[in-house]
Amino acid sequence: MMKFRFRRQGNDPHREKIKQDLFAFNKTVEHGFPNQPSALAYDPKLQLMAIGTKSGAIKIYGAPGVEMTGLHKDTAAVTQIHFLYGQGRILSLLDDNTIHLWEIVQRENRSHLVEVHSFSLPGRPGIESTSATRVTVMLLKLSCDLLALGTEGGGVHFLELPTLTLLNKSLFQDEIMQSVPEEYKCGKSLGPVESLQEHPQDSDKILIGYSRCLVVLWDLNSRHVDNLFLGKQQLESLVWERSGNSFVSSHSDGGYMVWAVSSSNPCTHDPISSTVPYGPFPCKAVNKILNEIRFHFILLFSGGMPRASYGDRHCLTILQDSSRVTLDFTSRVIDFFTIHCTDKDKEFDDPSALVVLLEEELVVIDLQMAGWPTVPAPYLAPLHSSAITCSCHISNVPPKLWERVISAGQQQCPLQNYEVGELKDPIQKPKTSAFFPHALCCHEDGTVRFWDASGVSLKPLYKLSTANIFQTDCDHNDSLTQAGEEEWPPFRKVGCFDPYSDDPRLAIQKISVCKYSGKLVVAGTAGQVIVLVLSDEKSDHMIDVATVDLLQDREGFTWKGHDRLPPRSGSVVFAPGFQPVVLVQCMPPAAVTAVTLHAEWNLIAFGTSHGFGLFDYHRRSPVLARCTLHPNDSLAMEGPLSRVKSLKKSLRQSFRRIRKSRVSGKKRAFPLRSSSCLPQVQEHDAEVAPVQRRIEPRSADDSLSGVVRCLCFADTFLRDGTHHGPTMWAGTNSGSVYAYALDVPSQEKFSEQSVEALLGKEIQLMHRAPVVSIAVLDGRGNPLPEPYEVSRDLAKAPDMQGSHSVLIVSEEQFKVFTLPKVSAKTKFKLTAHEGCRVRKVALSNFTSVSSEDYSENALVCLTNLGDIHVFSVPALRPQTRYDCIRKEDISGIASCVFTKTGQGLYLISPSEYERFSLSARVITEPLYQTGYYVVILSGLLDEMRSALSSPVLDSPNSSADVTLDTTGELTVEDVKDFLT
C-alpha cells in the first residue's frame, strides 16, 4: 500500500504518442441564432450576409456550412455594419463610437476574418461635448473609396478607404444653414444626421437627412446644395427611387412622403404625396423604409402601427398597389434588406426576397410568389423558439430512420425540400457515410425538435408536439383563428419564435430514444412519461393511460405542488411522425429527473424526486414502483411549490457542512450494503494517491436525497457468475444504487407473461454523494451495446465469458465494482474541498488519427469548474484535462451534452450551442477552405421559392472528396484577388 501511495507515473513516450493521436481539444463551431443581434449587412456581389451582436461579434454567413466569426477586442455593441462590395472587407461601428475595418484573409489554406484598421472620430475644436461627434449613420459609397459619417451634432465627415484616413472636407451645419430659408431656421439646429444616401445615378451627390426633417442633396465636388426639401415631421429614414428622380422619407408620426428631385425647383416645401398608412389616429414611427420597382411599386417599411391599439406589436408592412400585408413578429425588428437586381442598366429592381433580422430569428419572405409566403432559411433557425429545457445527441442514426424523420418533417412543412438532386448547391453531400447524427432539443412548450447535426449549421428536420395529448388552459390556435378577414391592419403571424408556454407543466425534462426501433420516450415537468412510436401514416386513436404511485400510499404525505396534466378523452388525430401509444403518469406528479428505454425488452424506467418505476409498455402494466425518500426529505414530500423548508433549517445545514469540512482527516467508514450478504469495503482516505483528492462525507438528512439521478438497463451477471440476464440499475441523490434482476419473457411470450423485478443488490456509497451515472462493462471492459445492435449485426457481441463490472460515477468519485459480487475493483477520487463536483459524464469512443483500426473507450467528465477530464476505462487512469467552460457559466455547464464520438455541445446563450471536440479525429468545422463555394441567399434564390435550404453537409474531415463546380461563381479565391 505504501508503494502505491508514493508511486509516480512515468512518461511513456509510446503512450504519449497514442494519447496525442486520440485526444485533442478544439472549440469548433457555434450552432444556432446569434444572441442579441444588433446590426445586419448584405453584399450582393459576393452574396454574403453579416450579423453584428451586442457582445461585439461579427458573424459572416455564406452557403450552408460556410461561416466566419470576428470578435472586437472591446465588448461593445455593434450598431452598424457595411460590406465593401466585392472586396471581402466589412466596416463596423461600435457603441463606443469606434469604427473598425475587417478583411477576409487566407491563413493556412483557410479564410479568417481579421481586423486590420480602426478609427475614432476626434472632437471638433471648441466643442466640449463628445456627443456632437457621435456617429449616427454611415454611408459607404458604391465605389468603396469613401466613407461618409453623419453625427449627432449634424456634421458629416469623410474617410478615405481602406485606410480610414480622415479627409479635410467635413461638412457642418453652419455651411448648410446658409442655404436654408430664414423662415425655416427658427434659431434651432437641424438636429442629428438621420440618413445618408448616395444618388443612384450620380455618385458625386449624396442625400443628407436631418432629424428636423430638412433633407439636402449635396454635391461633393462643388460643395454646393443642389436641392432643399423642407419637411415638417421628424425624419427617420430616406431611400432613393432607382432613377434618382424621387426619393421616399419616413417619419416619426407613422407616415411617409414621396419627394420629387428637380433642378428647376431647388427648394421644395411640399412632397408629391404624404401618407400615414395606419392613421388617422397617432401612430408609432416608421423606422426604416424601402421602395422597389418590379413592374409595380413595392413599399416595405417597419413600424408605423397605431399607438393606442397596436403600439406593442413588432411589424413590417409590404405594400403593392391594393395588396397589403402586415407581418406580425414576436420579437423586435433589427433590420431588413431585399435581394434585388443591382445592375444600374436594368429598368427594374426586380426584388425577389425580403430578409428580416429579428431579435430572436431570421425570416425570409418570397416577394415573387403570390401572397408573399415565408420560406425556410438555409440556416439560423432559432433553436430557442421555445425555451430549451434539455438536449440529446444521437450518433449514427440509421438511414431508414433518417429518411422517415425527414419525410415526417416534409409533411409538416411542404416548402422544405431535402432531396439532393433537385438543388444546385455545388457542395454535394458525401456519399460514403451510411449513418447520420441527430440533435434533439426539448422545450418548455412540450415540443421536441429534431435537428441535423452533421454540419456546421443545425438544420431543422421535424417537430414533435406533446401538447395535443393533454387538456390545457389555453388552445394553441385560439388567437390565430379569431382573426377575421376584415381585420385591420391585415396582420399575419410570421416566424416560429414563441417565448410563451401555454402551460409550464408541458415542459420536457428528459428524453430517451431507440434509433433502431423508432421508439421514443419523453418525460415532463408534471410527472408525465409518454411512449411514442414512429409511424409513416396519419392516425386517429385513443391513448392508453396508466398511473404509477411511486410512494405506494405512503402515510403522512401531502403533495402541495402542481396538479397532473389531464389527458384528452376520446380519439386524437396524429400526423405522420412520432405518435404516442401510452401515457404513464407518475404520482405524485413531480418533475421526471431520469428516464431510459429498452426497446427489445419493451420496458421503460423513470424516476422523480420521490422514487423510480418500471413499466412494461407492451402489456401496458407497471412492473415496479420504489420510494427512495428519506423521512427527512420534507421539501420533496411537500412538493416544489412548498414553503416548508425554512431559512433556519437551511442555515443549520450550511453550518453543519462547514463544520464537517474543517474536521481532521479521520476516516468515517460507511458500510456497503446489498440485499445479499456482501463484505464491507473499507476505504482509507489517508492513503490516497497524490494525484487524487479527498472526499467529503455527507449527512443522510440532506434535503432531496431521494431524487433519482440516473437509470440504466443492462444484460449482465447479478444473481451469480454463470447466468446473465436483464437488469435495471437506479442511482439516487444520496449515493444509493439499486440493482434489480428482471425476468423478461421471450418475444413470443410477451403477450402471455409479465415482466418481474427482484431486488438483487442495494449499494450505499460511503461518501453519499449523488450518483451521476451507472454503466455496465463487459469482460473486456467495453460498454455494453445498445438494444438491437448485436441482433442486427451493427456491433460486436459483448464478452459474456469474463466477469462483468459496473462503473458508478458520483459527484465526487468514480468506482468500478466487479459483478456479481459487487466488490470494489478500482476507484478515482476527483473531488476536493475547494468544491469540485462531477456534473456530466459519458462513455465515448476515440479513434486514432493515425490508424482507423485503433480506438479506445474513455470516460469523459465535466466538472462544476468547467474543466473536462478524460479517463481510461476500466482502469480509470487520467489521460488528459482541458479547460472548456467558464466556471461562472452555470447554465452552460448544466446544458452540456457529450456525444459517443468524443464531441460535445453546450449552451453559450439561450439561442446558441458551442460545439467542441475532444477527439483528434472527429472534428466538425466550417467549410471555408480556399475554393469552397461562398454564396448565400441570392445564390440560392431559385431554391428559395421551393425550399431555401440545402441538403445536409457532413463534416469536411470526411474521407470523401468534395468536388465543386464553381464555374461562373465567386469563390474565396476570387475574394483574395480583390484583396490583392
Side-chain angles (χ1 to χ4, degrees):
M1 185 63 70
M2 294 298 293
K3 182 188 295 185
F4 170 77
R5 181 182 179 185
F6 295 103
R7 183 179 60 188
R8 295 292 188 272
Q9 292 183 354
N11 290 328
D12 182 354
H14 178 65
R15 180 59 192 171
E16 291 300 318
K17 177 62 170 63
I18 293 177
K19 287 163 62 174
Q20 290 179 5
D21 290 344
L22 291 173
F23 311 114
F25 179 74
N26 292 286
K27 287 190 176 181
T28 53
V29 297
E30 295 176 1
H31 296 301
F33 184 81
N35 186 43
Q36 295 184 316
S38 55
L40 177 68
Y42 175 62
D43 186 344
K45 198 168 186 178
L46 289 181
Q47 301 164 350
L48 296 172
M49 181 176 70
I51 294 177
T53 71
K54 289 184 179 180
S55 62
I58 295 179
K59 295 177 178 286
I60 294 181
Y61 300 91
V66 181
E67 296 182 9
M68 281 171 280
T69 301
L71 188 64
H72 292 87
K73 296 178 182 178
D74 297 325
T75 307
V78 180
T79 56
Q80 295 182 45
I81 47 179
H82 299 271
F83 275 105
L84 278 69
Y85 301 118
Q87 294 190 17
R89 294 188 175 110
I90 190 169
L91 282 165
S92 62
L93 172 65
L94 301 188
D95 195 38
D96 61 4
N97 209 39
T98 59
I99 299 169
H100 305 260
L101 178 65
W102 299 77
E103 286 185 355
I104 300 174
V105 299
Q106 299 293 326
R107 291 179 182 173
E108 300 177 355
N109 201 33
R110 291 171 179 258
S111 299
H112 299 268
L113 190 61
V114 179
E115 181 180 343
V116 292
H117 294 295
S118 63
F119 174 82
S120 182
L121 193 64
R124 185 180 177 186
I127 304 295
E128 295 183 1
S129 174
T130 57
S131 63
T133 57
R134 185 171 184 82
V135 178
T136 55
V137 63
M138 297 198 305
L139 168 64
L140 176 65
K141 292 192 62 179
L142 288 174
S143 59
C144 296
D145 58 355
L146 190 68
L147 175 67
L149 306 176
T151 65
E152 281 191 7
V156 181
H157 307 271
F158 300 92
L159 302 181
E160 184 182 52
L161 293 176
T163 59
L164 292 183
T165 304
L166 181 63
L167 300 177
N168 189 22
K169 53 170 67 175
S170 298
L171 172 64
F172 297 104
Q173 280 197 15
D174 49 6
E175 190 171 353
I176 296 294
M177 293 293 280
Q178 297 175 7
S179 304
V180 176
E182 290 295 329
E183 66 274 12
Y184 194 82
K185 295 179 181 179
C186 302
K188 298 179 181 179
S189 68
L190 299 176
V193 177
E194 295 291 346
S195 185
L196 294 171
Q197 299 291 329
E198 181 180 354
H199 196 290
Q201 302 298 329
D202 189 347
S203 61
D204 292 328
K205 297 180 180 181
I206 61 172
L207 205 60
I208 307 172
Y210 295 91
S211 178
R212 256 187 65 196
C213 202
L214 173 69
V215 181
V216 177
L217 183 60
W218 177 258
D219 191 308
L220 294 173
N221 289 335
S222 64
R223 296 186 63 85
H224 176 264
V225 174
D226 284 358
N227 293 83
L228 287 173
F229 306 91
L230 309 176
K232 298 178 181 179
Q233 292 292 336
Q234 180 177 324
L235 182 70
E236 296 290 331
S237 71
L238 297 172
V239 62
W240 278 106
E241 179 265 321
R242 188 178 184 85
S243 66
N245 296 325
S246 65
F247 67 90
V248 182
S249 62
S250 69
H251 302 274
S252 61
D253 65 343
Y256 64 88
M257 300 178 183
V258 181
W259 303 82
V261 179
S262 173
S263 58
S264 61
N265 188 10
C267 187
T268 303
H269 289 79
D270 299 317
I272 299 175
S273 64
S274 178
T275 306
V276 181
Y278 298 109
F281 298 105
C283 296
K284 300 196 72 172
V286 174
N287 303 310
K288 179 178 179 178
I289 193 165
L290 294 179
N291 68 311
E292 310 282 351
I293 299 177
R294 180 176 175 263
F295 305 114
H296 297 282
F297 188 78
I298 300 180
L299 201 68
L300 308 100
F301 61 87
S302 60
M305 289 292 103
R307 284 185 177 274
S309 51
Y310 303 113
D312 59 343
R313 297 283 186 101
H314 309 292
C315 296
L316 189 148
T317 299
I318 306 175
L319 181 62
Q320 181 180 20
D321 297 335
S322 59
S323 301
R324 179 198 304 255
V325 64
T326 306
L327 305 178
D328 189 8
F329 305 107
T330 55
S331 58
R332 185 169 59 93
V333 178
I334 303 297
D335 203 353
F336 59 95
F337 64 84
T338 58
I339 299 173
H340 60 271
C341 176
T342 57
D343 189 349
K344 290 184 178 181
D345 298 331
K346 299 292 184 180
E347 182 180 0
F348 301 121
D349 297 297
D350 196 23
S352 53
L354 167 67
V355 181
V356 186
L357 175 65
L358 305 168
E359 200 167 38
E360 304 292 351
E361 60 185 318
L362 184 79
V363 174
V364 182
I365 306 295
D366 194 325
L367 296 178
Q368 292 188 343
M369 289 187 68
W372 303 314
T374 305
V375 291
Y379 35 61
L380 292 177
L383 298 172
H384 64 312
S385 51
S386 176
I388 298 174
T389 51
C390 75
S391 307
C392 174
H393 186 276
I394 311 173
S395 302
N396 297 330
V397 177
K400 187 174 182 180
L401 178 64
W402 180 272
E403 293 168 2
R404 295 177 67 190
V405 170
I406 287 178
S407 176
Q410 286 178 321
Q411 295 181 64
Q412 286 181 336
C413 184
L415 284 176
Q416 295 194 20
N417 190 337
Y418 299 91
E419 291 298 326
V420 176
E422 296 182 6
L423 291 176
K424 301 175 183 178
D425 189 351
I427 300 183
Q428 294 296 334
K429 185 188 183 81
K431 305 295 184 181
T432 57
S433 177
F435 296 86
F436 314 96
H438 268 174
L440 305 184
C441 294
C442 304
H443 299 270
E444 188 181 41
D445 62 355
T447 59
V448 180
R449 287 173 168 83
F450 290 67
W451 302 82
D452 166 19
S454 61
V456 173
S457 302
L458 287 185
K459 183 175 179 178
L461 300 178
Y462 166 71
K463 182 178 79 170
L464 164 67
S465 177
T466 61
N468 59 341
I469 301 174
F470 305 99
Q471 297 177 5
T472 56
D473 296 335
C474 302
D475 189 343
H476 290 269
N477 299 318
D478 280 351
S479 59
L480 299 179
T481 55
Q482 288 175 358
E485 295 181 358
E486 303 300 327
E487 181 186 15
W488 182 260
F491 288 119
R492 182 201 296 171
K493 289 285 185 182
V494 178
C496 60
F497 175 73
D498 184 5
Y500 306 107
S501 173
D502 288 345
D503 194 323
R505 295 174 296 174
L506 290 169
I508 305 298
Q509 297 296 332
K510 297 295 176 181
I511 188 169
S512 182
V513 186
C514 177
K515 59 191 177 186
Y516 301 111
S517 63
K519 290 184 173 65
L520 171 69
V521 177
V522 295
T525 303
Q528 70 272 28
V529 182
I530 309 167
V531 182
L532 306 102
V533 178
L534 184 60
S535 174
D536 300 326
E537 303 294 333
K538 182 179 179 181
S539 175
D540 183 358
H541 64 267
M542 293 183 63
I543 304 170
D544 293 329
V545 181
T547 301
V548 177
D549 183 5
L550 298 180
L551 298 182
Q552 300 166 320
D553 300 323
R554 182 170 175 175
E555 296 181 359
F557 172 78
T558 303
W559 173 255
K560 295 183 180 179
H562 47 238
D563 294 331
R564 59 181 289 184
L565 278 165
R568 288 188 183 273
S569 58
S571 295
V572 182
V573 178
F574 299 102
F578 283 96
Q579 299 174 352
V581 293
V582 61
L583 165 63
V584 182
Q585 179 62 57
C586 300
M587 295 303 291
V592 177
T593 56
V595 71
T596 188
L597 161 72
H598 200 293
E600 271 190 303
W601 302 340
N602 291 335
L603 294 175
I604 58 171
F606 45 86
T608 70
S609 56
H610 301 84
F612 56 87
L614 182 65
F615 189 85
D616 181 349
Y617 61 82
H618 181 77
R619 293 175 57 88
R620 310 292 199 264
S621 63
V623 177
L624 170 70
R626 171 72 183 253
C627 177
T628 56
L629 285 181
H630 188 274
N632 292 334
D633 281 336
S634 59
L635 185 62
M637 293 287 286
E638 298 291 343
L641 303 182
S642 171
R643 304 287 183 180
V644 170
K645 187 177 180 182
S646 64
L647 176 63
K648 182 178 180 181
K649 181 177 179 181
S650 299
L651 290 173
R652 186 187 305 121
Q653 291 177 348
S654 299
F655 282 119
R656 284 177 181 172
R657 293 191 186 99
I658 293 174
R659 285 197 298 269
K660 289 173 186 173
S661 66
R662 291 176 179 173
V663 299
S664 62
K666 292 183 179 181
K667 177 63 194 156
R668 290 179 58 190
F670 291 89
L672 179 145
R673 309 192 308 265
S674 79
S675 61
S676 56
C677 296
L678 296 177
Q680 294 185 359
V681 179
Q682 299 289 336
E683 295 178 339
H684 300 279
D685 279 359
E687 298 179 352
V688 298
V691 295
Q692 300 184 20
R693 302 169 177 175
R694 296 184 183 276
I695 61 174
E696 178 184 345
R698 300 186 181 207
S699 171
D701 63 353
D702 282 347
S703 294
L704 300 180
S705 62
V707 175
V708 177
R709 294 287 295 271
C710 59
L711 294 159
C712 80
F713 289 108
D715 184 356
T716 187
F717 302 91
L718 189 62
R719 292 188 173 99
D720 54 60
T722 56
H723 301 89
H724 62 87
T727 62
M728 187 199 76
W729 300 73
T732 72
N733 225 39
S734 61
S736 299
V737 177
Y738 304 91
Y740 284 83
L742 307 179
D743 186 4
V744 179
S746 62
Q747 294 287 340
E748 297 79 13
K749 298 181 179 180
F750 256 125
S751 301
E752 303 173 8
Q753 299 180 10
S754 59
V755 178
E756 295 181 358
L758 177 65
L759 181 61
K761 297 289 188 296
E762 182 177 347
I763 306 169
Q764 177 63 61
L765 300 180
M766 288 188 291
H767 57 301
R768 296 185 179 274
V771 179
V772 177
S773 175
I774 301 173
V776 176
L777 310 175
D778 70 3
R780 292 187 292 263
N782 296 323
L784 297 183
E786 296 182 34
Y788 290 112
E789 279 191 329
V790 174
S791 61
R792 299 186 182 185
D793 296 327
L794 299 172
K796 293 182 179 179
D799 182 0
M800 308 303 286
Q801 302 300 322
S803 62
H804 284 196
S805 56
V806 58
L807 169 62
I808 299 177
V809 179
S810 73
E811 283 191 356
E812 298 180 352
Q813 65 179 335
F814 316 127
K815 279 188 177 182
V816 175
F817 296 93
T818 61
L819 291 177
K821 291 185 178 182
V822 194
S823 58
K825 184 178 181 181
T826 183
K827 63 184 175 182
F828 187 91
K829 301 173 184 177
L830 181 74
T831 191
H833 288 295
E834 60 265 23
C836 179
R837 295 287 185 271
V838 176
R839 285 292 175 258
K840 296 291 177 71
V841 294
L843 287 169
S844 298
N845 184 265
F846 293 85
T847 302
S848 172
V849 73
S850 301
S851 173
E852 192 173 352
D853 297 330
Y854 182 79
S855 64
E856 289 184 9
N857 292 311
L859 177 68
V860 181
C861 163
L862 172 70
T863 74
N864 63 333
L865 302 180
D867 51 355
I868 292 179
H869 302 256
V870 181
F871 299 88
S872 64
V873 174
L876 297 182
R877 294 192 181 95
Q879 300 299 301
T880 185
R881 175 194 167 278
Y882 305 109
D883 292 323
C884 181
I885 310 174
R886 294 181 300 107
K887 64 179 180 181
E888 298 83 9
D889 188 2
I890 298 175
S891 63
I893 294 173
S895 63
C896 183
V897 174
F898 291 113
T899 76
K900 292 190 174 182
T901 56
Q903 297 190 79
L905 303 97
Y906 67 93
L907 286 172
I908 55 174
S909 75
S911 60
E912 294 173 287
Y913 278 102
E914 175 82 59
R915 189 166 188 154
F916 61 89
S917 177
L918 305 172
S919 170
R921 185 180 186 89
V922 182
I923 303 176
T924 301
E925 292 182 311
L927 301 175
Y928 44 51
Q929 288 88 345
T930 302
Y932 276 108
Y933 194 60
V934 202
V935 176
I936 179 195
L937 297 170
S938 63
L940 299 175
L941 277 181
D942 292 338
E943 289 79 29
M944 284 177 61
R945 294 176 192 92
S946 60
L948 187 57
S949 56
S950 73
V952 178
L953 300 175
D954 278 346
S955 71
N957 60 336
S958 171
S959 59
D961 293 327
V962 180
T963 58
L964 307 176
D965 177 13
T966 55
T967 305
E969 302 291 353
L970 288 165
T971 64
V972 176
E973 201 63 40
D974 298 323
V975 176
K976 190 171 183 180
D977 292 339
F978 277 113
L979 295 174
T980 55

